[in-house]
Amino acid sequence: MNKRTKTFLLIIIFSCIAISSYGELVKKHPIELISPPLCSKCHSDERSGLDHTYDFSKKHGFIASQKSLMCSSCHVPAFCADCHTNKEEIKPSDKFKESPERIMPHRGDYITQHKIDGRVNPASCMKCHGRKNNKRCLTCHR
Amino acid sequence: MRRTVSIVCFILFLSSPSFGADLSGNSRTYLRFMESTNDDTFNPLYEYFDFHISNINGKDISFFFGGWLSYDLADISYNKRYDNNLQYAFIQYNHRASEFTAELGRFYVFEGIASEQIDGVYVKKYFRKKFGLAVYGGIPVETDFDERGGDSIYGGRLSFEGRSYILGLSYLKEKNDSNDFREETGIDLYLRPLNEIELTGHSDYNIGESGWQEHSYYLSISPASSLYIKPLISWIDYRNFFYSPTTSAFRFDPAIVDPNEKLLTYGGSVEYNVGPFIISGDYKRHNYEIHESADYYGGSITYLSISPIFSKKKGSLGISVHRMDGKIESLKYNEYRFFASLNLNKVSLATDIIDIKYDLERNGVKNAYAISGYLGYSLTKNLILSADAEYGKNPEFDREVKTMLKVIYRL
């Protein structure tokens, strides 16, 4: 990074500290939520942006990378571990056959489809299988 | 055996009334029946077990554990009859009043550029409820291609959080066998100036290779009630992005995927909610610097019968049609999907049909499909028995049948 970029970043950092404010995080959500929640039904502040709408899974990675403590007020690590793990043999869509409406990767025949998806955007594979959960890849990719 | 007894004693000790701790968790047992492309039969039996003990000794300390064991009843699947994995096991100290969290053990870190599993320590503290500092370090939990000796990972994230924005700056360094393996930094952004407008995204920089890896941004605009417009844009530099995999699958061959490739993806979706119905259309263009471009577009109608907050899902129904339209023949196909689920009092039913029609035959197959069915029964509030089966035909299998029996028990 050059000097101008560093100065720019420092100005942003100190400006944010000067004007920001944020409410206290709760350790555990006071009410148990059984189905995917629509946070905006009760909250009108920034938490309303956490509505678990139909396509929430598409942006959940962004949210988790910024608000992981907020996620943990409802979700235990087992929830994340069903997909995000260093070693797994059962596809998430096979573990949750009862919920076909959930957006999950690798439904149906993925042996054929992975060659197509890997060609179109291999970055989407790399995030979960680049450095972990890829022992099965070695069967063919030696 | 001794280790198992020790763990059980430890759990009982921590959750005993004198400690006042709360214990909860799940036992999930899966038995699969399936075949390989060589007609080998596999019947792996899995036990997934997770629990957490919270409020240990009435304080802010919790313990989390998750892992699985497997044993193949028929043949040796994936070169092993027995297998296991420790997913996570860590002690957490979470002091709400001072907004301080610390974790020790095997855990996940999701902090800006880091989406890692680590054996080590993690600490996060908010200052003046305005900005947060997270730091972590330890040994990475990854697929090993050599010994773990000399492996290390550390990093952190500084975040500035307001009611309508979050700005994060993160850094990560990983060493393998004491040699530099990864060094990355990133900016993550969340903006919500109005309830109707939300922007999320991140830009990641590869310090080792001195170049941007990825920019990815997602916007959501709601110009009218129940109408959502969601544009997205992302850019990836393959050389900087795929620079430290632990599998050869991402060490590209220029004849198939050129490592000098740069991919710009843009598009988005439009969604309209009418009561329990969601009508949506989506479009995504993949523009490559070296290879020919490809478009993916289509639409769907989904019915979700959910009482939003306090009730379980009652049922769902969905149909979607998509077209992958690449410049090359192997990237031309139509994709159709239909699904339905129904939750009655104690019985749950679901079905899923996926059909792919290739423009160009693959292994003599032009139409690949998979049809699955699910039946579940809640024996008690905490015990669910279920069975599912999937039948398919595709370029790899003339006839593929997979079934799975599940027993799920909530502690």
Side-chain angles (χ1 to χ4, degrees), chain B residues 37-272:
Chain B
T37 48
N38 303 324
D39 291 335
D40 296 327
T41 305
F42 301 132
N43 295 147
L45 176 69
Y46 296 89
E47 170 58 27
Y48 281 70
F49 183 57
D50 68 84
F51 68 86
H52 69 276
I53 307 167
S54 51
N55 301 320
I56 295 173
N57 205 17
K59 298 279 176 63
D60 301 302
I61 298 170
S62 305
F63 179 73
F64 297 86
F65 176 90
W68 57 261
L69 299 162
S70 74
Y71 177 79
D72 200 310
L73 303 176
D75 212 330
I76 298 173
S77 49
Y78 311 119
N79 303 319
K80 277 186 176 180
R81 184 174 282 277
Y82 299 95
D83 210 350
N84 63 78
N85 184 41
L86 175 64
Q87 295 170 305
Y88 57 88
F90 62 94
I91 293 175
Q92 182 189 67
Y93 175 75
N94 188 345
H95 193 254
R96 188 170 49 179
S98 61
E99 295 190 294
F100 175 81
T101 302
E103 293 174 357
L104 178 70
R106 173 170 293 189
F107 51 82
Y108 299 95
V109 175
F110 300 110
E111 289 288 351
I113 201 160
S115 174
E116 313 294 325
Q117 207 173 355
I118 290 175
D119 287 337
V121 64
Y122 164 90
V123 174
K124 183 157 191 172
K125 166 80 179 151
Y126 278 94
F127 297 92
R128 297 171 60 204
K129 298 178 182 174
K130 292 178 178 178
F131 60 102
L133 176 67
V135 291
Y136 54 87
I139 302 170
V141 182
E142 296 174 336
T143 308
D144 289 318
F145 49 85
D146 54 15
E147 297 299 317
R148 294 184 83 194
D151 293 0
S152 64
I153 188 167
Y154 62 87
R157 177 170 172 266
L158 194 59
S159 60
F160 311 96
E161 310 193 4
R163 286 203 166 271
S164 57
Y165 71 89
I166 298 175
L167 175 67
L169 303 172
S170 56
Y171 172 82
L172 179 152
K173 179 147 187 170
E174 182 177 342
K175 290 194 171 198
N176 181 65
D177 210 11
S178 303
N179 299 313
D180 288 351
F181 189 57
R182 294 164 67 196
E183 189 174 14
E184 300 168 12
T185 187
I187 301 169
D188 54 86
L189 180 70
Y190 170 85
L191 281 176
R192 194 177 169 87
L194 303 168
N195 276 345
E196 294 77 20
I197 299 174
E198 183 183 275
L199 173 71
T200 50
H202 60 96
S203 292
D204 304 338
Y205 187 82
N206 184 335
I207 297 172
E209 302 289 323
S210 299
W212 289 102
Q213 291 180 302
E214 180 184 17
H215 304 286
S216 184
Y217 290 86
Y218 183 91
L219 182 65
S220 176
I221 306 167
S222 180
S225 175
S226 304
L227 178 64
Y228 299 92
I229 301 168
K230 300 177 176 177
L232 63 88
I233 186 164
S234 80
W235 177 90
I236 289 162
D237 181 320
Y238 283 25
R239 188 165 290 284
N240 291 326
F241 192 90
F242 300 99
Y243 77 110
S244 59
T246 61
T247 169
S248 61
F250 298 103
R251 294 189 192 105
F252 297 128
D253 178 348
I256 302 167
V257 178
D258 197 311
N260 295 308
E261 185 64 273
K262 292 181 179 66
L263 166 61
L264 174 67
T265 304
Y266 57 87
S269 62
V270 177
E271 265 179 40
Y272 187 58

Side-chain angles (χ1 to χ4, degrees), chain B residues 157-409:
Chain B
R157 177 170 172 266
L158 194 59
S159 60
F160 311 96
E161 310 193 4
R163 286 203 166 271
S164 57
Y165 71 89
I166 298 175
L167 175 67
L169 303 172
S170 56
Y171 172 82
L172 179 152
K173 179 147 187 170
E174 182 177 342
K175 290 194 171 198
N176 181 65
D177 210 11
S178 303
N179 299 313
D180 288 351
F181 189 57
R182 294 164 67 196
E183 189 174 14
E184 300 168 12
T185 187
I187 301 169
D188 54 86
L189 180 70
Y190 170 85
L191 281 176
R192 194 177 169 87
L194 303 168
N195 276 345
E196 294 77 20
I197 299 174
E198 183 183 275
L199 173 71
T200 50
H202 60 96
S203 292
D204 304 338
Y205 187 82
N206 184 335
I207 297 172
E209 302 289 323
S210 299
W212 289 102
Q213 291 180 302
E214 180 184 17
H215 304 286
S216 184
Y217 290 86
Y218 183 91
L219 182 65
S220 176
I221 306 167
S222 180
S225 175
S226 304
L227 178 64
Y228 299 92
I229 301 168
K230 300 177 176 177
L232 63 88
I233 186 164
S234 80
W235 177 90
I236 289 162
D237 181 320
Y238 283 25
R239 188 165 290 284
N240 291 326
F241 192 90
F242 300 99
Y243 77 110
S244 59
T246 61
T247 169
S248 61
F250 298 103
R251 294 189 192 105
F252 297 128
D253 178 348
I256 302 167
V257 178
D258 197 311
N260 295 308
E261 185 64 273
K262 292 181 179 66
L263 166 61
L264 174 67
T265 304
Y266 57 87
S269 62
V270 177
E271 265 179 40
Y272 187 58
N273 298 355
V274 191
F277 290 94
I278 304 160
I279 302 161
S280 76
D282 57 272
Y283 170 79
K284 209 183 262 188
R285 181 168 184 85
H286 301 90
N287 248 352
Y288 306 92
E289 207 164 282
I290 297 169
H291 290 282
E292 304 251 39
S293 63
D295 296 324
Y296 182 76
Y297 51 86
S300 66
I301 300 174
T302 308
Y303 170 85
L304 292 175
S305 175
I306 290 176
S307 182
I309 300 178
F310 302 111
S311 302
K312 280 185 178 175
K313 175 191 78 179
K314 290 175 186 166
S316 66
L317 195 68
I319 186 163
S320 66
V321 178
H322 283 88
R323 167 80 180 162
M324 173 60 84
D325 198 11
K327 297 282 184 200
I328 55 173
E329 288 299 312
S330 61
L331 290 184
K332 286 180 187 287
Y333 62 88
N334 292 337
E335 186 182 281
Y336 307 94
R337 184 166 178 236
F338 168 84
F339 66 80
S341 69
L342 181 64
N343 280 344
L344 301 171
N345 188 25
K346 288 191 168 186
V347 177
S348 300
L349 300 161
T351 187
D352 197 354
I353 302 168
I354 298 168
D355 184 21
I356 309 239
K357 282 192 163 58
Y358 303 110
D359 285 19
L360 189 71
E361 276 189 2
R362 291 165 184 265
N363 286 352
V365 173
K366 212 165 178 182
N367 185 28
Y369 58 87
I371 302 168
S372 70
Y374 168 91
L375 172 64
Y377 183 78
S378 298
L379 212 60
T380 68
K381 192 183 170 189
N382 296 328
L383 181 63
I384 301 169
L385 308 178
S386 69
D388 62 67
E390 184 173 308
Y391 176 84
K393 182 185 177 186
N394 55 63
E396 305 295 331
F397 288 88
D398 291 334
R399 184 182 70 91
E400 185 180 26
V401 181
K402 294 187 288 186
T403 54
M404 182 145 68
L405 303 176
K406 302 175 190 167
V407 180
I408 296 173
Y409 181 72

